[in-house]
């Protein structure tokens, strides 16, 4: 205890000295507190954004009605399923599989459990314009029923049916009207009522459109209830963003009950005993998914859950990204805080020398700054936590109003961990100035002279040599990642990047001295030489600023390269029906060819009138009822069963055939907005030109001459012909039936596997159906204009399906909405950090340069020349940091792209590109903002005379 009292007594005067220094230099202290508080506040806000307002378990519990034990789905997947207690994963349904019966489900449930069945419809068409009375129902040819209606009179919604008892559990609280009392009544969400233009007491008609043949997690329900119509009276309205309706089981239920094969069954379970996880797993064996209150509230341990396979490469990548983010944030915080404390150590040299002279130990002098780091780190972190908690309510309201991802509650450990982390980082940032103060010669400090270390030159050379070796070795190691075995490519890259980062940090002082020597050789650059001398004399505050500029510039280069490469790779690997900047429109609920054409035409007329659309052209689908139309592989370009051409063979004409397993082959996706499964696309030559695709003009001429367009280079022979054949889907072993060879053209990036003209389709006996339009907007669509286009189309009617392919924005980023993308936000943040680090260095050095400024003014320098001194200091930091950061960023980008290709975790990545406009704009903003801030913030005082002493 005595030793503890002695230590406490020794620390007390040191703490007073640290607090005295902090309060005396209020500007520097406030700056440090702000530097620490800002990332802490941002981290808490990010933690809130990453934490859902409602967890998946809470959401699952909320989905179970209060009076029910569980929500049970007897699926038609045709076999066992695996689920989490709170979620049933989406799985394709087997149209020929029957769901489990209520009797089979009840066997696995606790005794006394009662099952209440309810039914879901496919997506329906709603209108209030038909003369169909409530309760009236009959089969109908949907195209005839809605053929005379305007597009604005149609909406989409889904219907849920259940008996009165079950409906009482399912139905949300009513805001108007009453629950359904008969088969004539329906309850709508306010979103559905608004879309349909219906109020309580109004008539509304719901129409089941024709089945499209598309099968996914909905099963066959669309085929079971297609082409029927029923009238209702709106009995009530409930709150809800989804377009949803509720009614008694008088329409969907009887139709499904007569044809249950391939259609899921849904139940609510009530009873005296909870449903356990073991019972859920037993039902999973029979293809039944269960969201049970008992299994969620008594959550099973991890060893009782279904095993989840882990990809070691992806786990390593996630760990690397998380570690890099944490280390980067910590490094930037230290880089910004250390110069402020170093400046404090410089200003207290005489005071600390006096303290040592009267008997204090050198380590006690260092403790002054460690204590200052503890106090300011804790206060800054606490300030950041308070700012975050004050700002979060406003941010949550803004996020809710903008329909963005909700910001959830902050976990209790978040503020505690950030308080500790902020304090620890501030202490780490105070170690360099504390060490500098501890080893200072008290005699030199009292004389206010900077010591000249006899071995400083040797030490600098050694440090520079180690830095050069680390940068060279790290660069070579990072580049080797592109040829290393795929399993260790990311590990090799991580080791190389670590060496590069450490070596770059060691070389920063040498960069500053190099710039200083260059300025010393420039005739007449007195201001530059003076500023360079100041930077080399006070490396404690200039080196962290240069390091921050190097790191931010390198990261900007890396982000610009990665985003540019991913965008270029996406353009090279993805397929589409239109070029960037154009759009497509199809039907969310296809009805009939004539009706679809009329509805889409009505929507496009509105868009043309609004000045959004310049031109449009029709798209058709073709089907041979006797089989599947296929372009056969060219001679010598076929792969055996279970294999397919590689990406290179698929996309490069003349490339040698490379066959890879089917799951690793290149499979173009589908982007045209239609549910109609038409395997062949039929385009008029004018429609082909309207796509704007590269090579569209040549492709249009091929179509005019009766030729075929394909998106697989292995289908076009050396003679330029494509062999067409029909494949019998019912008998996969049957040989393809040849239809003859036609002139062909490979059109890279075009979506359809086969494209022909209407005349060619007629000659082949194809049934042709209108499916949508290619849209040429008045201005190329970027992210924001794409959102405007979709909103305008859906504002006419929700039965259409708009789709667009955005062009890059002014900076080269491709976004898919009005909000800026993550890359753009990161560019802004990194630029702001580099500006803050540079300006902070200049501001902290202002006091130490007052003597130089006074001398300049005394020998006749004008105030304008003196004022440029701060700008020159900032320019030196930028000159030392930006070129080095660019070189480092290019090296890291090349190495990272190579390692990503080698690891095979990110697709083909066939090209490497940078976003030059974004990078140039960011660096220009960095230079301009830094110099402007230095010009404003480093004005010399009017009473400038001499440097003030401590």
């Amino acid at each position: 205890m005595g030793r503890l009292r002695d230590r406490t007594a020794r620390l007390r005067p040191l703490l007073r000295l640290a607090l005295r220094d902090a309060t005396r230099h209020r500007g520097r202290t406030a700056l440090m507190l702000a530097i620490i508080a800002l990332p802490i506040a941002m981290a808490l806000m990010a933690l809130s954004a990453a934490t859902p307002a409602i967890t998946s378990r809470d959401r699952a519990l909320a989905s179970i009605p209060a009076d029910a034990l569980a929500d049970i789905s007897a699926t038609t997947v045709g076999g066992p399923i695996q689920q989490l207690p709170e979620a049933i994963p989406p799985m394709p349904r087997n149209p020929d599989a029957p769901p489990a019966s209520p009797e089979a489900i009840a066997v696995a449930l606790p005794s006394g459990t009662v099952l209440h069945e309810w039914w879901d419809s496919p997506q329906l068409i709603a209108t209030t314009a038909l003369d169909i009375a409530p309760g009236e129902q009959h089969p109908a040819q949907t195209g005839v029923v809605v053929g005379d209606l305007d597009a604005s009179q149609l909406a989409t919604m889904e219907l849920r049916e259940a008996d009165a008892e079950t409906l009482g559990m399912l139905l949300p609280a009513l805001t108007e009207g009453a629950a359904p009392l008969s088969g004539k009544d329906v309850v709508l969400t306010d979103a559905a009522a608004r879309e349909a233009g219906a109020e309580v007491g109004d008539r509304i008609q719901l129409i089941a459109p024709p089945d499209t043949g598309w099968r996914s997690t909905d099963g066959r329900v669309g085929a079971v209830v297609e082409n029927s119509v029923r009238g209702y009276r709106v009995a009530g309205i409930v709150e809800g963003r989804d377009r949803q309706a509720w009614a008694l089981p008088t329409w969907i239920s009887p139709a499904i009950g007569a044809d249950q094969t391939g259609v899921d069954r849904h139940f609510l379970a009530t009873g005296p005993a909870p449903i356990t996880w073991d019972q859920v797993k037993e039902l999973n064996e029979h293809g039944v998914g269960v969201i049970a209150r008992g299994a969620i509230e008594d959550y099973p341990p991890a060893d009782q859950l279904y095993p989840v396979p882990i990809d070691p490469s992806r786990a390593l990548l996630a760990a690397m990204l998380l570690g890099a983010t944490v280390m980067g944030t910590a490094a930037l915080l230290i880089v910004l805080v250390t110069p402020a404390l170093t400046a404090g150590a410089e200003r207290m040299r005489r005071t600390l020398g006096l303290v040592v002279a009267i008997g204090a130990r050198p380590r006690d002098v260092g403790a002054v700054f460690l204590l200052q780091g503890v106090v300011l780190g804790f206060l800054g972190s606490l300030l950041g936590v308070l700012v975050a908690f004050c700002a979060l309510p406003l941010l949550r309201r803004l996020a809710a109003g903008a329909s963005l991802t909700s910001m959830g509650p902050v976990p209790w450990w978040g503020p505690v961990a950030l308080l500790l982390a902020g304090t620890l980082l501030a202490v780490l940032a105070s170690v360099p100035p504390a060490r500098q103060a501890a080893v200072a010669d008290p005699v030199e400090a009292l004389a206010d002279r900077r010591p000249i270390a006899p071995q400083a030159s040797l030490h600098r050379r050694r440090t520079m040599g180690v830095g050069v070796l680390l940068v060279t070795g790290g660069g070579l190691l990072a580049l080797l990642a592109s040829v290393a075995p795929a399993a260790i490519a990311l590990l090799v890259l991580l080791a190389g990047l670590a060496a590069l980062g450490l070596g770059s940090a060691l070389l920063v002082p040498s960069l500053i001295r190099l710039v200083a020597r260059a300025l010393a050789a420039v005739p007449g650059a007195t201001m530059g030489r003076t500023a360079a001398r100041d930077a080399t004399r006070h490396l404690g505050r200039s080196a962290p600023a240069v390091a921050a500029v190097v790191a931010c510039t390198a990261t900007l280069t890396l982000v610009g390269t990665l985003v540019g490469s991913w965008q270029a790779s996406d353009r090279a690997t993805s397929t589409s029906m239109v070029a960037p900047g154009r759009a497509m429109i199809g039907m969310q609920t296809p009805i009939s060819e004539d009706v679809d054409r009329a509805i889409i035409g009505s929507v496009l007329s509105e868009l043309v009138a609004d000045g959004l659309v310049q031109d449009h052209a029709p798209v058709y689908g073709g089907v041979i009822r006797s089989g599947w139309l296929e372009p056969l592989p060219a001679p010598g370009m076929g792969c055996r069963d279970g294999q397919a051409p590689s990406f290179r063979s698929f996309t490069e004409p003349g490339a040698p055939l490379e066959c890879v397993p089917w799951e690793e082959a290149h499979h173009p996706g589908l982007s045209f907005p239609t549910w109609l499964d038409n395997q062949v696309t039929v385009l008029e030559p004018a429609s082909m030109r309207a796509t704007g695709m590269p090579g569209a003009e040549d492709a249009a001429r091929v179509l005019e001459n009766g030729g075929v367009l394909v998106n697989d280079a292995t289908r076009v022979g050396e003679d330029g012909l494509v062999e067409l054949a029909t494949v019998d889907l019912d008998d996969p072993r049957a040989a393809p039936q040849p239809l003859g060879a036609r002139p062909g053209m490979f059109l890279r990036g075009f979506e359809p596997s086969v494209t022909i003209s209407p005349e060619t389709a007629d000659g082949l006996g194809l049934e042709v159906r209108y499916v949508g339009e290619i849209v040429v907007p008045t201005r190329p669509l970027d992210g924001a204009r794409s959102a405007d286009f979709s909103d305008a189309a859906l504002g006419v009617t929700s039965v259409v399906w708009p789709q667009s392919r955005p062009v890059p924005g002014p900076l080269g980023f491709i976004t898919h909405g009005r909000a800026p993308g993550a890359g753009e936000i990161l560019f802004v943040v990194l630029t702001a950090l580099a500006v803050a680090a540079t300006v902070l260095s200049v501001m902290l050095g202002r006091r130490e340069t007052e003597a130089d400024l006074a001398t300049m003014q005394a020998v006749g320098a004008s105030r304008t020349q003196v004022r440029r001194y701060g700008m020159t200091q900032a320019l030196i930091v930028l000159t030392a940091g930006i070129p080095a950061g660019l070189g480092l960023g290019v090296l890291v980008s090349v190495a990272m792209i190579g390692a990503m290709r080698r690891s095979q975790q990110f697709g083909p990545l066939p090209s490497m590109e940078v976003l030059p406009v974004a990078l140039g704009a960011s660096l220009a903003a960095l230079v301009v903002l830094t110099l402007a801030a230095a010009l404003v913030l480093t004005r010399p005082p009017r009473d400038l005379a001499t440097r003030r002493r401590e």
Side-chain angles (χ1 to χ4, degrees), residues 429-523:
S430 66
V431 169
R435 182 179 178 278
Q436 177 182 337
V439 300
D441 186 338
V443 176
E444 298 289 347
L446 287 171
D448 201 15
R449 293 195 301 264
R450 297 187 60 82
I452 301 176
Q455 297 183 348
S457 178
L458 178 61
H459 177 71
R460 287 199 298 267
R461 287 197 296 270
R462 287 176 178 173
T463 302
M464 184 174 68
V466 173
V468 170
L469 287 176
L470 284 173
V471 168
T472 304
L476 291 175
L477 195 60
L479 292 175
L480 283 175
S482 61
V483 295
I488 63 170
L490 293 177
L491 280 175
V492 174
L493 174 66
L494 181 61
L497 294 181
L500 268 174
L502 181 58
S504 300
L506 293 177
L507 287 178
V508 164
S510 300
L511 288 174
I512 297 173
R513 295 188 187 98
L514 181 63
V515 173
R517 290 195 187 98
L519 286 174
V522 177

Side-chain angles (χ1 to χ4, degrees), residues 75 96 278 411 416 472 534 634 651 690 697 870 876 929:
T75 73
D96 299 321
D278 288 336
V416 175
T472 304
D534 179 74
T651 58
E697 185 61 40
I876 289 171
L929 292 176

